[in-house]
Amino acid sequence: MSSNLMILPANKYTNIRLIKMPEDIEEHEAYRYVTGLIAKVEEGPEYSWDDVLDLLEERGFEAIDFVLGPSLD
């Protein structure tokens, strides 16, 4: 069984995140949903990854631990 995964890029490599998408959501819908959710959280005075993750988990997304390999460039 395969999973749809989404990388959330960041300016700092320590802030890159990997999430598992719910099976009932298409890629384009997931992209739009996550983009809107991040924008909503960023409207607040202070926010963290945990704030974003809480809202993602409410919709069925799941944070995935990963190891970031060496740079290819």
Side-chain angles (χ1 to χ4, degrees):
M1 177 167 85
S2 66
S3 299
N4 283 335
L5 303 174
M6 179 184 288
I7 297 172
L8 303 178
N11 291 333
K12 289 178 52 180
Y13 73 91
T14 56
N15 292 336
I16 295 172
R17 301 291 188 247
L18 178 65
I19 56 174
K20 179 179 172 184
M21 297 174 4
E23 292 181 14
D24 66 339
I25 190 169
E26 294 181 9
E27 291 177 21
H28 296 300
E29 182 183 353
Y31 185 91
R32 286 191 301 269
Y33 181 80
V34 172
T35 300
L37 185 132
I38 291 171
K40 178 181 176 181
V41 171
E42 287 178 340
E43 289 176 357
E46 292 185 30
Y47 61 91
S48 69
W49 162 244
D50 292 330
D51 299 326
V52 174
L53 181 58
D54 289 344
L55 294 174
L56 286 170
E57 287 178 341
E58 288 177 9
R59 177 57 178 90
F61 290 84
E62 179 184 341
I64 304 292
D65 290 331
F66 67 98
V67 174
L68 188 61
S71 174
L72 295 174
D73 53 1

